[in-house]
Amino acid sequence: RFGEDEDLKSLVNLCHKNRIKIILDFVPNHCSRFHPHFLDAQKNPESQYRNWFIFLKWPKTYLSFLDVADIPKLNLENQKCRNYILESAKYWLAEFDIDGYRIDHAIGPPFDFWQDFIKVVAEVKNDAILLPEIWFRGVNLLHTPTLWYLRENKKWRLNRIISSFLSSQNQKQDYCYKLFSNFFDIFLDFTFLELIQKHFFEPETLKRLVSNHFSKLEKPNSYLFLDNHDTSRFIYLCQNDEKEFTENLKLLFSFGKPTVFYYGTEIGMSHQNPERYRLGKDREARRFMNWNFGAKEEKILKLTQSLIKNLRSQK
């Protein structure tokens, strides 16, 4: 869908000429159940890839991303598997001169993997951007075996389990931000996301809660956003009320922090078929971009552009 190697190289070159950085989504924790290594591990009991995965009862019962069987968890404590992922991280940086990674499900791999990952990335590009996803929506105690940040030296850490699961979702995230600050300098602020999606209709309450959240951060370099591929589109949460949406868009920029946009949010893109959304969870939020702008989209886009310019002028 997106083209060949040369297309990516051309895109990166063009962006770099215009002072734009390119980061790719990087998924070290799991792969597709249709990946040839996993298919071989399931089919062949003597497969060299058997221990690249965590079979609880071979060949059909295995650890996955949380409880999603379509994406089996990689065994990053297997050195060959780990090296494969680390080499992949180096490859895109070296071959295509990308500028870093948004790291999917950072709470899945063990901590010593992150030590290796950061080291090999720095060997290729010491100023690479590493932006981890640390999020607990939909995560519960039953998923503990898949969350290897709770371990150290292959042993479970009871204090981490207690701190992570005997607390609210936002407390879990804030606790993890502190843990992961040993490895990452910036992060996607999912606590902010949860707060604004829950309290967008109460601006004063929201400001107080967000201020309290920011005060607890050991490293203040959080990236703020209204929605992403796993959530309802923000304007849909606002019941497609343009005024409510734009007021919260302004509020997003008022905190003076780096701001992330999920494609379409800059024009107020919403769900086309709410019933399909309820049945298909995040499918509606992942529709292709709407390039046929109407007056409403043009108006919101101009507001977004002006907010970005104002934020840049403050730097």
Side-chain angles (χ1 to χ4, degrees), residues 214 224 251-259 311 314-315:
F214 287 161
L224 308 185
L251 182 63
L252 173 70
F253 280 87
S254 71
F255 296 105
K257 287 181 172 283
T259 306
L311 183 64
Q314 296 170 21
K315 299 301 181 182

Side-chain angles (χ1 to χ4, degrees), residues 179-306:
L179 289 179
F180 280 84
S181 67
N182 292 321
F183 308 101
F184 300 103
D185 293 323
I186 57 177
F187 59 89
L188 292 161
D189 198 333
F190 283 91
T191 299
F192 175 86
L193 174 73
E194 299 287 351
L195 290 173
I196 199 166
Q197 288 198 349
K198 185 177 181 181
H199 299 285
F200 65 86
F201 50 88
E202 308 168 292
E204 294 308 313
T205 298
L206 177 61
K207 289 176 185 177
R208 175 175 54 81
L209 292 171
V210 169
S211 177
N212 183 53
H213 160 58
F214 287 161
S215 70
K216 295 177 181 177
L217 297 178
E218 292 188 358
K219 293 184 178 179
N221 303 323
S222 60
Y223 282 47
L224 308 185
F225 53 107
L226 296 175
D227 50 17
N228 72 3
H229 59 292
D230 289 321
T231 74
S232 295
R233 286 194 173 272
F234 193 77
I235 198 169
Y236 178 71
L237 293 177
C238 297
Q239 299 181 333
N240 295 313
D241 184 320
E242 183 181 337
K243 184 176 185 299
E244 190 77 60
F245 175 76
T246 54
E247 287 303 310
N248 279 277
L249 192 61
K250 294 173 185 175
L251 182 63
L252 173 70
F253 280 87
S254 71
F255 296 105
K257 287 181 172 283
T259 306
V260 177
F261 273 81
Y262 182 44
Y263 73 88
T265 301
E266 73 277 14
I267 62 168
M269 189 170 160
S270 187
H271 302 311
Q272 295 180 21
N273 186 342
E275 184 61 34
R276 183 170 178 262
Y277 175 76
R278 284 193 288 271
L279 295 174
K281 293 188 178 179
D282 48 18
R283 291 179 186 174
E284 272 295 295
R286 303 185 187 201
R287 282 185 180 275
F288 287 169
M289 177 65 180
N290 169 27
W291 294 108
N292 299 314
F293 296 175
K296 184 195 82 170
E297 289 80 12
E298 289 285 359
K299 180 181 176 183
I300 295 175
L301 179 61
K302 286 180 180 178
L303 172 62
T304 303
Q305 291 170 329
S306 68

Side-chain angles (χ1 to χ4, degrees), residues 12-21 312:
V12 172
N13 289 336
L14 180 62
C15 286
H16 285 175
K17 288 177 182 177
N18 288 278
R19 296 187 299 155
I20 296 172
K21 295 188 176 185
R312 281 182 172 174

